[in-house]
């Protein structure tokens, strides 16, 4: 993958082809049936409910791991195709929690960096929606400064002994695996290695943390001198940092970074009165603009580039915009939404108010993203 | 070019427009007559008007790119105003005409003369094109003689303007105008101007922050300053991608309106951030920033009456966020 040599303010504009539009319609038709309006609990973007059955159904439909080659359970589809599916899922607030991370970044990473055995073992089961991955990166003393991580792996024969703790690991309590970044050497960056760790093996404990909205998706993951075979190692020793960076364009530049409130915006848009109409139009227009940027990033990825800076720019803009959307929605609601309201819109609005600050924090804080963009602007 | 690549204008054309703007740049001149002549000689000011209508042809993307680049350079020319008038003439079957034509209205024509306070570009107009109608434009009527106040005024962007009085008996025969199309193309071109000037602000500010030293370092070393540069980059990125996508979606009036709304909003951000980084020097007439930000202010508000009340089918709802050129082409 090459970095795209271009100007940060010049994202190549693009739109879907007729074939991509037909694919979008197929996905929409399937989801209309599988998730009938009122027939499921809506989620807010990627902080979504974990529903292993839904993930399995999507997998059976071929909508997870689509970019994988057919031999691994995919259909060789593109990043743009994945964006199309993501839009349809997130617009509906679909329960994508179980497979999202596996699909978004573990699949591509294992495809790029894994051994044939690893690809054979993990990729088909990611594509089928059977596996659920969590991201084992942050630690109590290593958040934005990820290279300061201390969880270590020491070689012992054919195994590694892993010890240390990860924190803020979303989904670890329901996941099958964690992709852990651990220290295998002294170099700040070249001493980090990734391991695919089975969370059901002995030696690892997952402790849920109660989030501000009462959910327990956030976790601590403790490795108590856990013995893992060397064939769990993803990529070469010391390559963890580089591999992780490669995932960033995918993780950060997508529509998931500005679609958290889409189900609420959609519902509000349908029933807002004349006084809210100008606000609704403005928010819709900016969503449309952000979509143009996300589409461009996906297209750039498909062209073999690694638009990491572009992704950082869009994530920072998108997540900030989500806060603005929430302000309009909450002003329009008036009064105090109840978290346990029977009306799902109200309950989701209450939840959104509480968890919104996490959108500008997770997956790279806006401060870190700004640092990345600023470096590019100054160069 | 693949079926999914959206044009950002013919590269040679874009290069030519850039070169003309660079070579013929004039600071603090209300009307850059040399640039206007050079562009007119090359028929660049009418790009996008079909050959069948007497224009030089070229796509809407070519027009948007031309407008974008001229705005980026804060060119003091009546590019969009003249283009809109010539476009309406062509659509009304009146054909294009040499020189500068400027739209007036939409306005309801009463029994007395039509008076316009501070009509921008009037001092350089060869013709005024009166758009008849109140909420909706219904007809266009050219006029070649009117009474102009002797004093040249200057609008918010420093563009030349005049108070004019148009006698109603001087109005030409009406030609039809499609209100929807007029609004769409106006929104699109204003969005292109805003996008171009936002880019101009980003380029200028980025350069300034790299050159200007305080406390022994470039001022772009400070995260607090970087914050503004980042917002400028974001503003430039989202407006540019929006305006070219909207140009490709010629059937989709919602896209043009969305591009306008996006550009209006991010123009505010760009003005604030560019001025903040520049400090005092940016507040002078002499320094180039004012040429850009004053235009951003004016273009943001220009034709606001058209944007204020979206007509049928123009409002973008959340559903329409997925609006797409290929989809639009199928409609």
């Amino acid at each position: 993958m090459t970095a795209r040599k271009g100007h940060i303010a010049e994202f190549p504009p693009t739109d879907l082809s007729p074939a991509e539009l037909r694919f979008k319609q197929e996905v929409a038709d399937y989801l209309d049936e599988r998730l009938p309006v009122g027939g499921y609990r809506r989620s807010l973007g990627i902080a979504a409910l974990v529903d292993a059955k839904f993930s399995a159904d999507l997998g059976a439909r071929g909508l997870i791991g689509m970019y994988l080659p057919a031999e691994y359970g995919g259909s060789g589809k593109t990043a743009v195709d994945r964006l199309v599916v993501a839009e349809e899922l997130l617009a509906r607030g679909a329960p994508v929690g179980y497979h999202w991370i596996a699909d978004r970044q573990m699949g591509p990473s294992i495809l790029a960096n894994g051994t044939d055995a690893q690809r054979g073992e993990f990729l088909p089961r990611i594509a089928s929606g059977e596996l659920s991955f969590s991201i084992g990166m942050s630690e109590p003393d290593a958040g934005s400064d990820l290279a300061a991580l201390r969880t270590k792996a020491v070689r012992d024969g054919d195994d590694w002994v892993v010890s240390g703790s990860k924190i803020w690991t979303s989904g670890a309590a329901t996941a099958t695996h964690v992709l852990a970044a651990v220290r295998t050497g002294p170099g700040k960056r070249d001493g980090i290695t990734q391991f695919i760790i089975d969370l059901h093996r002995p030696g690892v404990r997952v402790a849920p943390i109660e989030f501000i909205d009462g959910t327990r998706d956030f976790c601590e993951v403790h490795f108590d001198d856990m013995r893992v075979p060397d064939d769990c190692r993803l990529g070469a020793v010391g390559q963890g940092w580089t591999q992780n960076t490669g995932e960033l364009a995918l993780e950060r530049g997508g529509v998931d970074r500005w679609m958290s409130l889409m189900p609420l915006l959609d519902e509000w848009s349908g029933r807002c009165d004349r006084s809210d109409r100008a606000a609704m139009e403005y928010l819709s227009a900016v969503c449309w603009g952000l979509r143009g940027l996300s589409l461009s990033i996906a297209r750039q990825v498909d062209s073999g580039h690694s638009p990491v800076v572009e992704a950082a720019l869009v994530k920072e803009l998108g997540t900030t915009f989500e806060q603005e959307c929430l302000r309009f929605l909450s002003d329009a609601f008036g009064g105090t939404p109840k978290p346990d309201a029977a009306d799902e819109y109200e309950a989701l609005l209450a939840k959104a108010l509480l968890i919104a600050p996490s959108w500008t924090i997770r997956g790279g804080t806006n401060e870190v993203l700004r640092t990345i963009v600023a470096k590019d602007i100054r160069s | 070019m693949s079926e999914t690549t959206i044009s950002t204008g013919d590269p040679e054309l874009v290069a030519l427009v850039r070169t003309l703007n660079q070579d013929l740049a004039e600071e603090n001149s209300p009307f850059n007559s040399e640039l206007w002549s050079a562009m007119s000689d090359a028929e660049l000011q009418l790009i996008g008007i079909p050959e069948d209508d007497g224009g030089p042809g070229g796509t809407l993307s070519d027009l948007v790119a031309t407008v974008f680049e001229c705005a980026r350079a804060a060119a003091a020319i009546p590019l969009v105003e003249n283009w809109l008038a010539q476009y309406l003439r062509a659509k009304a079957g009146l054909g294009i005409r040499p020189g500068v034509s400027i739209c007036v209205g939409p306005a309801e024509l009463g029994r007395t003369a039509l008076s316009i306070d501070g009509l921008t570009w009037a001092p350089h107009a060869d013709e005024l094109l009166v758009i008849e109608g109140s909420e909706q434009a219904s007809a266009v009527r050219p006029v070649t003689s009117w009474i102009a106040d002797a004093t040249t005024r200057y609008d918010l962007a420093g563009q030349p303007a005049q108070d004019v009085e148009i006698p109603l008996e001087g109005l030409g025969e009406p030609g039809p105008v499609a209100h929807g199309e007029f609004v769409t193309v106006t929104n699109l071109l204003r969005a292109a101007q805003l996008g171009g000037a936002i880019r101009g602000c980003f380029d200028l500010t980025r350069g300034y922050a790299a050159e200007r030293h305080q406390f022994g370092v470039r001022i772009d070393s400070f995260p607090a300053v970087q914050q503004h540069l980042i917002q400028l980059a974001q503003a430039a990125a989202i407006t540019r991608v929006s305006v070219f996508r909207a140009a490709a979606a010629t059937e989709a009036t919602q896209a043009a309106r969305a591009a306008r709304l996006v550009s209006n909003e991010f123009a505010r951000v760009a003005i604030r951030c560019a001025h903040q980084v520049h400090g005092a020097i940016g507040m002078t007439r002499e320094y180039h920033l004012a040429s850009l930000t004053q235009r951003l202010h004016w273009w943001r508000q220009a034709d606001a009456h058209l944007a204020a009340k979206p007509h049928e089918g123009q409002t973008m709802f959340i559903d329409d966020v997925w609006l797409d050129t290929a989809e639009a082409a199928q409609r």
Side-chain angles (χ1 to χ4, degrees):
Chain A
M1 287 231 186
T2 57
R4 184 182 152 263
K5 297 232 181 318
H7 196 287
I8 189 65
E10 280 176 19
F11 283 55
T14 181
D15 263 314
L16 300 181
S17 66
E20 286 162 346
L21 279 168
R22 281 193 294 275
F23 176 60
K24 187 173 165 75
Q25 191 60 53
E26 279 169 34
V27 174
D29 290 342
Y30 168 69
L31 289 175
D32 283 344
E33 210 185 291
R34 178 61 180 77
L35 296 174
V37 172
Y40 65 102
R41 275 199 74 80
R42 285 173 294 176
S43 298
L44 294 171
I46 61 176
L49 293 173
V50 166
D51 184 340
K53 174 75 172 70
F54 178 73
S55 296
D57 287 348
L58 270 192
R61 187 81 193 182
L63 296 177
I64 300 177
M66 297 187 302
Y67 46 82
L68 297 170
E71 67 190 286
Y72 294 124
S75 44
K77 283 185 143 43
T78 64
V80 172
D81 292 320
R82 187 170 182 280
L83 178 150
V84 161
V85 174
E87 288 181 335
E88 292 298 325
L89 288 168
L90 298 180
R92 289 170 174 72
V96 297
Y98 188 77
H99 71 269
W100 193 261
I101 290 166
D103 181 46
R104 184 183 67 192
Q105 62 203 78
M106 306 310 180
S109 193
I110 294 171
L111 181 68
N113 305 305
T115 60
D116 285 340
Q118 286 170 333
R119 289 180 189 147
E121 187 188 339
F122 293 107
L123 297 181
R125 293 191 294 149
I126 285 175
S128 68
E130 183 192 329
L131 299 184
S132 175
F133 271 77
S134 53
I135 306 171
M137 288 188 349
S138 292
E139 296 181 0
D141 290 328
S144 295
D145 184 10
L146 182 63
L149 66 86
R150 295 208 291 251
T151 298
K152 65 181 198 277
V154 176
R155 190 73 191 247
D156 181 25
D158 291 334
D159 297 336
W160 295 82
V161 179
V162 183
S163 55
S165 296
K166 295 295 183 184
I167 198 170
W168 319 138
T169 317
S170 297
T174 50
T176 56
H177 293 78
V178 58
L179 183 66
V182 304
R183 183 154 294 294
T184 49
K188 200 157 205 257
R189 293 196 180 175
D190 58 15
I192 294 174
T193 306
Q194 288 185 311
F195 286 83
I196 304 168
I197 296 179
D198 182 339
L199 285 166
H200 298 111
R201 280 179 76 95
V204 59
R205 285 177 295 130
V206 175
I209 300 166
E210 196 173 357
F211 204 50
I212 192 171
D213 67 343
T215 57
R216 298 166 74 83
D217 185 60
F218 242 10
C219 298
E220 289 173 326
V221 180
H222 303 287
F223 301 99
D224 303 321
D225 290 336
M226 180 187 193
R227 193 165 273 278
V228 302
D230 184 50
D231 61 21
C232 288
R233 173 171 48 87
L234 179 66
V237 174
Q239 280 302 293
W241 185 265
T242 311
Q243 286 168 194
N244 186 52
T245 309
E247 291 163 30
L248 292 177
L250 296 161
E251 185 186 340
R252 291 176 176 168
V255 297
D256 26 342
R257 301 307 179 173
W258 50 268
M259 283 190 71
S260 301
L261 291 167
M262 206 51 71
L264 296 185
L265 286 170
D266 198 18
E267 195 177 314
W268 176 61
S269 153
R271 63 173 191 213
C272 72
D273 61 31
R274 292 193 68 80
S275 63
D276 289 332
R277 200 175 158 112
M280 183 278 301
E281 252 215 299
Y282 157 69
L283 297 181
S284 303
V286 178
C287 286
W288 177 81
L290 284 164
R291 184 182 188 241
L293 293 175
S294 291
L295 263 174
S296 180
I297 287 175
R299 205 60 91 189
Q300 290 176 51
V301 167
D302 287 334
S303 305
H305 300 297
S306 194
V308 175
V309 179
E310 289 85 347
L313 178 147
V314 173
K315 181 169 182 292
E316 206 276 348
L317 183 61
T319 54
T320 303
F321 174 66
E322 286 183 318
Q323 313 298 317
E324 202 186 344
C325 287
L326 186 55
R327 190 200 127 202
F328 280 105
L329 289 175
S330 107
D331 286 351
F333 182 80
T336 53
K338 299 180 188 57
D340 59 354
D343 175 45
E344 194 180 77
Y345 181 96
E346 183 177 339
L348 284 173
L349 181 62
K351 180 184 169 90
L353 286 167
L354 294 179
I355 72 172
S358 68
W359 300 338
T360 49
I361 293 169
R362 68 183 175 189
T365 63
N366 280 13
E367 288 69 27
V368 162
L369 302 174
R370 286 176 212 151
T371 307
I372 292 168
V373 174
K375 189 171 167 194
D376 185 86
I377 289 173
R378 297 184 66 213
S379 66
Chain B
M1 190 175 286
S2 81
E3 61 185 346
T4 58
T5 309
I6 288 177
S7 171
T8 53
D10 175 75
E12 277 181 29
L13 169 70
V14 171
L16 174 59
V17 174
R18 262 189 212 151
T19 305
L20 285 177
N21 273 285
Q22 272 156 21
D23 293 349
L24 302 174
E26 261 178 25
E27 275 307 324
N28 290 323
S29 162
F31 173 49
N32 190 334
S33 56
E34 253 197 277
L35 177 61
W36 185 249
S37 294
M39 288 192 57
S40 303
D41 289 345
E43 284 196 288
L44 293 174
Q45 91 287 21
L46 294 178
I47 201 103
I49 302 227
E51 284 171 2
D52 287 349
D53 293 325
T59 65
L60 201 56
S61 305
D62 290 334
L63 170 64
V64 163
T66 301
V67 168
F68 185 98
E69 291 298 329
C70 287
R72 185 178 176 184
I77 53 174
L79 178 61
V80 165
E81 291 77 13
N82 177 63
W83 195 94
L84 285 171
Q86 302 282 2
Y87 166 82
L88 288 180
R89 284 185 58 101
K91 285 284 182 180
L94 303 173
I96 58 170
R97 57 156 288 148
V100 175
S101 185
I102 300 294
C103 291
V104 168
E108 269 196 60
L109 301 182
R111 276 178 301 188
T112 54
L114 183 61
S115 287
I116 315 292
D117 191 39
L119 177 64
T120 293
W121 295 117
H124 301 286
D126 302 296
E127 175 193 81
L128 298 182
L129 193 70
V130 177
I131 305 174
E132 211 180 337
S134 54
E135 301 225 337
Q136 300 259 318
S138 56
V140 287
R141 291 166 172 268
V143 62
T144 49
S145 94
W146 61 88
I147 302 158
D149 191 277
T151 320
T152 297
R153 302 173 65 183
Y154 297 94
D155 69 17
L156 184 62
Q159 299 172 126
Q162 258 172 340
D163 297 344
V164 303
E165 196 177 281
I166 304 167
L168 295 179
E169 58 267 13
L171 291 180
E173 280 305 300
V177 59
H179 180 80
E181 277 181 37
F182 173 53
V183 171
T184 297
V185 77
T186 301
N187 278 337
L188 183 65
L189 296 187
R190 291 302 183 201
Q193 286 178 305
L194 291 164
I198 290 168
R199 175 63 185 276
C201 283
F202 174 53
D203 290 341
L204 183 69
T205 307
R206 179 187 197 181
Y208 178 79
E211 297 279 317
R212 172 77 172 162
H213 285 63
Q214 288 286 269
F215 305 105
V217 294
R218 288 161 54 157
I219 64 169
D220 65 2
S221 311
F222 301 104
V225 173
Q226 288 165 11
Q227 177 63 23
H228 304 305
L229 294 171
I230 291 156
Q231 289 191 271
L232 276 163
Q234 290 168 333
I238 198 171
T239 52
R240 182 178 180 276
V241 88
S242 294
V243 80
F244 282 110
R245 285 181 78 220
T250 51
E251 310 289 0
T253 58
Q254 287 138 317
R257 183 170 166 78
R260 181 75 191 270
L261 290 173
V262 168
S263 298
N264 280 359
E265 171 60 18
F266 283 94
R268 281 191 328 112
V269 171
I271 292 164
R272 185 167 42 74
C273 291
H275 273 293
Q276 192 63 22
V277 172
H278 276 92
I281 198 162
M283 300 309 299
T284 66
R285 279 246 162 121
E286 190 187 299
Y287 185 79
H288 186 60
L289 183 61
S291 314
L292 288 162
T293 57
Q294 284 180 247
R295 281 179 173 76
L296 281 173
H297 282 299
W298 198 82
W299 290 331
R300 256 193 109 239
Q301 304 294 127
D303 316 302
H305 58 284
L306 293 178
K309 290 183 192 171
H311 72 109
E312 190 59 45
Q314 201 184 32
T315 304
M316 176 170 273
F317 292 88
I318 285 291
D319 270 355
D320 303 316
V321 169
W322 325 116
L323 199 68
D324 205 71
T325 54
E327 194 166 12
Q330 279 160 30
R331 289 216 192 115

PDB file of all heavy atoms in Angstrom, chain A residues 230-244:
ATOM      1  N   ASP A 230       3.275 -20.174  19.514  1.00  0.00           N
ATOM      2  CA  ASP A 230       3.844 -19.200  18.577  1.00  0.00           C
ATOM      3  C   ASP A 230       2.977 -19.027  17.337  1.00  0.00           C
ATOM      4  O   ASP A 230       3.009 -17.996  16.679  1.00  0.00           O
ATOM      5  CB  ASP A 230       5.262 -19.624  18.162  1.00  0.00           C
ATOM      6  CG  ASP A 230       5.934 -18.594  17.273  1.00  0.00           C
ATOM      7  OD1 ASP A 230       5.934 -17.385  17.647  1.00  0.00           O
ATOM      8  OD2 ASP A 230       6.418 -18.960  16.188  1.00  0.00           O
ATOM      9  N   ASP A 231       2.176 -20.063  17.014  1.00  0.00           N
ATOM     10  CA  ASP A 231       1.376 -19.901  15.800  1.00  0.00           C
ATOM     11  C   ASP A 231       0.187 -18.959  15.997  1.00  0.00           C
ATOM     12  O   ASP A 231      -0.604 -18.747  15.088  1.00  0.00           O
ATOM     13  CB  ASP A 231       0.955 -21.262  15.204  1.00  0.00           C
ATOM     14  CG  ASP A 231       0.112 -22.076  16.156  1.00  0.00           C
ATOM     15  OD1 ASP A 231      -0.485 -21.496  17.089  1.00  0.00           O
ATOM     16  OD2 ASP A 231       0.045 -23.311  15.975  1.00  0.00           O
ATOM     17  N   CYS A 232       0.086 -18.368  17.212  1.00  0.00           N
ATOM     18  CA  CYS A 232      -0.896 -17.294  17.438  1.00  0.00           C
ATOM     19  C   CYS A 232      -0.334 -15.943  17.040  1.00  0.00           C
ATOM     20  O   CYS A 232      -1.071 -14.965  16.956  1.00  0.00           O
ATOM     21  CB  CYS A 232      -1.221 -17.149  18.927  1.00  0.00           C
ATOM     22  SG  CYS A 232      -2.181 -18.465  19.564  1.00  0.00           S
ATOM     23  N   ARG A 233       0.965 -15.921  16.865  1.00  0.00           N
ATOM     24  CA  ARG A 233       1.600 -14.638  16.569  1.00  0.00           C
ATOM     25  C   ARG A 233       1.177 -14.218  15.170  1.00  0.00           C
ATOM     26  O   ARG A 233       1.300 -14.953  14.199  1.00  0.00           O
ATOM     27  CB  ARG A 233       3.123 -14.781  16.657  1.00  0.00           C
ATOM     28  CG  ARG A 233       3.890 -13.544  16.198  1.00  0.00           C
ATOM     29  CD  ARG A 233       5.368 -13.678  16.518  1.00  0.00           C
ATOM     30  NE  ARG A 233       5.918 -14.969  16.109  1.00  0.00           N
ATOM     31  CZ  ARG A 233       6.395 -15.234  14.913  1.00  0.00           C
ATOM     32  NH1 ARG A 233       6.386 -14.301  13.963  1.00  0.00           N
ATOM     33  NH2 ARG A 233       6.883 -16.431  14.630  1.00  0.00           N
ATOM     34  N   LEU A 234       0.714 -12.969  15.056  1.00  0.00           N
ATOM     35  CA  LEU A 234       0.289 -12.438  13.760  1.00  0.00           C
ATOM     36  C   LEU A 234       1.409 -11.567  13.219  1.00  0.00           C
ATOM     37  O   LEU A 234       1.721 -10.517  13.778  1.00  0.00           O
ATOM     38  CB  LEU A 234      -1.004 -11.628  13.903  1.00  0.00           C
ATOM     39  CG  LEU A 234      -1.527 -11.009  12.595  1.00  0.00           C
ATOM     40  CD1 LEU A 234      -1.959 -12.091  11.597  1.00  0.00           C
ATOM     41  CD2 LEU A 234      -2.699 -10.067  12.875  1.00  0.00           C
ATOM     42  N   GLY A 235       2.018 -12.022  12.166  1.00  0.00           N
ATOM     43  CA  GLY A 235       3.095 -11.243  11.561  1.00  0.00           C
ATOM     44  C   GLY A 235       4.395 -11.441  12.321  1.00  0.00           C
ATOM     45  O   GLY A 235       4.470 -12.153  13.327  1.00  0.00           O
ATOM     46  N   ALA A 236       5.424 -10.814  11.831  1.00  0.00           N
ATOM     47  CA  ALA A 236       6.757 -11.001  12.394  1.00  0.00           C
ATOM     48  C   ALA A 236       6.875 -10.338  13.760  1.00  0.00           C
ATOM     49  O   ALA A 236       6.148  -9.397  14.081  1.00  0.00           O
ATOM     50  CB  ALA A 236       7.798 -10.410  11.441  1.00  0.00           C
ATOM     51  N   VAL A 237       7.843 -10.841  14.532  1.00  0.00           N
ATOM     52  CA  VAL A 237       8.135 -10.236  15.826  1.00  0.00           C
ATOM     53  C   VAL A 237       8.564  -8.787  15.579  1.00  0.00           C
ATOM     54  O   VAL A 237       9.382  -8.511  14.703  1.00  0.00           O
ATOM     55  CB  VAL A 237       9.258 -11.027  16.534  1.00  0.00           C
ATOM     56  CG1 VAL A 237       9.672 -10.330  17.824  1.00  0.00           C
ATOM     57  CG2 VAL A 237       8.802 -12.457  16.817  1.00  0.00           C
ATOM     58  N   GLY A 238       8.030  -7.902  16.368  1.00  0.00           N
ATOM     59  CA  GLY A 238       8.420  -6.497  16.230  1.00  0.00           C
ATOM     60  C   GLY A 238       7.688  -5.750  15.136  1.00  0.00           C
ATOM     61  O   GLY A 238       7.939  -4.564  14.919  1.00  0.00           O
ATOM     62  N   GLN A 239       6.758  -6.414  14.448  1.00  0.00           N
ATOM     63  CA  GLN A 239       6.033  -5.757  13.359  1.00  0.00           C
ATOM     64  C   GLN A 239       4.661  -5.243  13.775  1.00  0.00           C
ATOM     65  O   GLN A 239       3.893  -4.743  12.953  1.00  0.00           O
ATOM     66  CB  GLN A 239       5.859  -6.728  12.187  1.00  0.00           C
ATOM     67  CG  GLN A 239       7.104  -6.832  11.324  1.00  0.00           C
ATOM     68  CD  GLN A 239       7.495  -5.477  10.776  1.00  0.00           C
ATOM     69  OE1 GLN A 239       6.786  -4.887   9.964  1.00  0.00           O
ATOM     70  NE2 GLN A 239       8.632  -4.948  11.218  1.00  0.00           N
ATOM     71  N   GLY A 240       4.354  -5.407  15.055  1.00  0.00           N
ATOM     72  CA  GLY A 240       3.003  -5.065  15.525  1.00  0.00           C
ATOM     73  C   GLY A 240       2.616  -3.623  15.283  1.00  0.00           C
ATOM     74  O   GLY A 240       1.476  -3.325  14.916  1.00  0.00           O
ATOM     75  N   TRP A 241       3.552  -2.734  15.481  1.00  0.00           N
ATOM     76  CA  TRP A 241       3.227  -1.305  15.340  1.00  0.00           C
ATOM     77  C   TRP A 241       2.863  -0.974  13.905  1.00  0.00           C
ATOM     78  O   TRP A 241       1.864  -0.305  13.628  1.00  0.00           O
ATOM     79  CB  TRP A 241       4.417  -0.453  15.791  1.00  0.00           C
ATOM     80  CG  TRP A 241       4.106   1.005  15.780  1.00  0.00           C
ATOM     81  CD1 TRP A 241       4.360   1.898  14.782  1.00  0.00           C
ATOM     82  CD2 TRP A 241       3.415   1.737  16.786  1.00  0.00           C
ATOM     83  NE1 TRP A 241       3.887   3.141  15.109  1.00  0.00           N
ATOM     84  CE2 TRP A 241       3.307   3.079  16.337  1.00  0.00           C
ATOM     85  CE3 TRP A 241       2.880   1.402  18.040  1.00  0.00           C
ATOM     86  CZ2 TRP A 241       2.687   4.060  17.100  1.00  0.00           C
ATOM     87  CZ3 TRP A 241       2.270   2.388  18.786  1.00  0.00           C
ATOM     88  CH2 TRP A 241       2.174   3.698  18.316  1.00  0.00           C
ATOM     89  N   THR A 242       3.693  -1.447  12.993  1.00  0.00           N
ATOM     90  CA  THR A 242       3.455  -1.178  11.565  1.00  0.00           C
ATOM     91  C   THR A 242       2.129  -1.790  11.122  1.00  0.00           C
ATOM     92  O   THR A 242       1.368  -1.177  10.380  1.00  0.00           O
ATOM     93  CB  THR A 242       4.588  -1.786  10.717  1.00  0.00           C
ATOM     94  OG1 THR A 242       5.812  -1.395  11.281  1.00  0.00           O
ATOM     95  CG2 THR A 242       4.502  -1.329   9.279  1.00  0.00           C
ATOM     96  N   GLN A 243       1.863  -3.006  11.582  1.00  0.00           N
ATOM     97  CA  GLN A 243       0.622  -3.678  11.189  1.00  0.00           C
ATOM     98  C   GLN A 243      -0.582  -2.902  11.719  1.00  0.00           C
ATOM     99  O   GLN A 243      -1.592  -2.752  11.036  1.00  0.00           O
ATOM    100  CB  GLN A 243       0.598  -5.116  11.735  1.00  0.00           C
ATOM    101  CG  GLN A 243       1.536  -6.023  10.972  1.00  0.00           C
ATOM    102  CD  GLN A 243       1.771  -7.379  11.638  1.00  0.00           C
ATOM    103  OE1 GLN A 243       2.696  -8.088  11.258  1.00  0.00           O
ATOM    104  NE2 GLN A 243       0.972  -7.742  12.631  1.00  0.00           N
ATOM    105  N   ASN A 244      -0.442  -2.416  12.927  1.00  0.00           N
ATOM    106  CA  ASN A 244      -1.534  -1.680  13.544  1.00  0.00           C
ATOM    107  C   ASN A 244      -1.817  -0.385  12.782  1.00  0.00           C
ATOM    108  O   ASN A 244      -2.973  -0.038  12.549  1.00  0.00           O
ATOM    109  CB  ASN A 244      -1.166  -1.369  14.998  1.00  0.00           C
ATOM    110  CG  ASN A 244      -2.306  -0.739  15.729  1.00  0.00           C
ATOM    111  OD1 ASN A 244      -3.417  -1.258  15.725  1.00  0.00           O
ATOM    112  ND2 ASN A 244      -2.082   0.404  16.333  1.00  0.00           N
TER     113      ASN A 244
END
